[in-house]
């Protein structure tokens, strides 16, 4: 894990993330690590992969890195015992489905565009049966061109998230992501 944390620090420095944003990101990640360490590690991996992949698509590396790094931060609001279960039921999964909205609410003031990307990261296919949240209100302060980017960035985040989650052992979510 130290290697992952070193790589995240490398990207934070490379992307010249300001001190205030760095402190906010680190405080959220510290809470996530304490709340559910597997999700914390997953977020670190996804953030690093997003930063690397963004250059291939000429996407903004900082936006993709922050989006990937904090994409599951809404799980701080999900009971940790649910996240620790090896097998989750429908009731638990409904609670887990709330994490993109919860993450959006946590981040929208400091990271407006990453928050919009995070809100949408489970709205695409990738072999999943479920897509959520269903209704996303439009932020009138964001122009159409930016919305196009948000949608493209969130598709890449969705793919990277799915890729990384698919490589975890004891994935309690397998029954929810298999094709029918």
């Amino acid at each position: 894990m130290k290697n992952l944390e070193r790589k995240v620090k490398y990207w934070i420095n490379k992307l010249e993330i300001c001190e205030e944003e760095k402190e906010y990101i680190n405080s959220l990640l510290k809470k996530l690590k304490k709340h559910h360490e597997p999700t914390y590690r997953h977020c670190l991996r996804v953030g690093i992969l997003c930063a690397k992949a963004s250059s291939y698509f000429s996407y903004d590396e900082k936006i993709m890195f922050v989006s990937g790094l904090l994409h599951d931060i809404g799980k701080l609001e999900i009971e940790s015992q649910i996240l620790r279960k090896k097998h989750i039921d429908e009731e638990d999964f409904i609670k887990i489905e709330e994490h993109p909205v919860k993450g959006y609410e946590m981040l929208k003031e400091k990271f407006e565009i990453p928050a919009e990307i995070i809100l949408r990261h489970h709205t695409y296919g990738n072999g999943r049966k479920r897509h959520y949240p269903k209704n996303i209100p439009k932020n009138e302060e964001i122009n159409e061109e930016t919305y196009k980017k948000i949608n493209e960035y969130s598709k890449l985040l969705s793919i990277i998230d799915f890729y990384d989650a698919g490589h975890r052992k004891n994935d309690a979510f397998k029954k929810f992501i298999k094709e029918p």
Side-chain angles (χ1 to χ4, degrees), residues 55-72:
S55 64
Y56 293 105
F57 296 95
S58 299
Y59 289 178
D60 184 294
E61 288 179 323
K62 180 180 175 183
I63 289 174
M64 282 304 298
F65 175 70
V66 171
S67 299
L69 196 61
L70 300 177
H71 79 284
D72 279 346

Side-chain angles (χ1 to χ4, degrees), residues 101-113:
V101 174
K102 291 177 183 292
Y104 170 80
E105 291 297 327
M106 293 169 72
L107 299 172
K108 68 183 180 182
E109 298 301 320
K110 285 221 186 272
F111 298 108
E112 181 183 33
I113 301 304

Side-chain angles (χ1 to χ4, degrees), residues 36-109:
H36 190 245
E37 195 169 310
T39 299
Y40 167 77
R41 289 191 310 267
H42 169 66
C43 285
L44 298 185
R45 289 190 304 267
V46 170
I48 293 163
L49 289 170
C50 281
K52 289 180 178 182
S54 64
S55 64
Y56 293 105
F57 296 95
S58 299
Y59 289 178
D60 184 294
E61 288 179 323
K62 180 180 175 183
I63 289 174
M64 282 304 298
F65 175 70
V66 171
S67 299
L69 196 61
L70 300 177
H71 79 284
D72 279 346
I73 205 66
K75 288 184 179 178
L76 281 171
E77 302 293 322
I78 309 298
E79 299 166 42
S80 61
Q81 61 266 32
I82 291 174
L83 299 175
R84 287 192 304 266
K85 287 183 179 181
K86 290 201 187 275
H87 303 286
I88 59 171
D89 59 24
E90 183 67 19
E91 186 179 321
D92 293 336
F93 198 77
I94 289 169
K95 291 176 184 174
I96 291 170
E97 284 181 330
E98 297 172 7
H99 82 273
V101 174
K102 291 177 183 292
Y104 170 80
E105 291 297 327
M106 293 169 72
L107 299 172
K108 68 183 180 182
E109 298 301 320

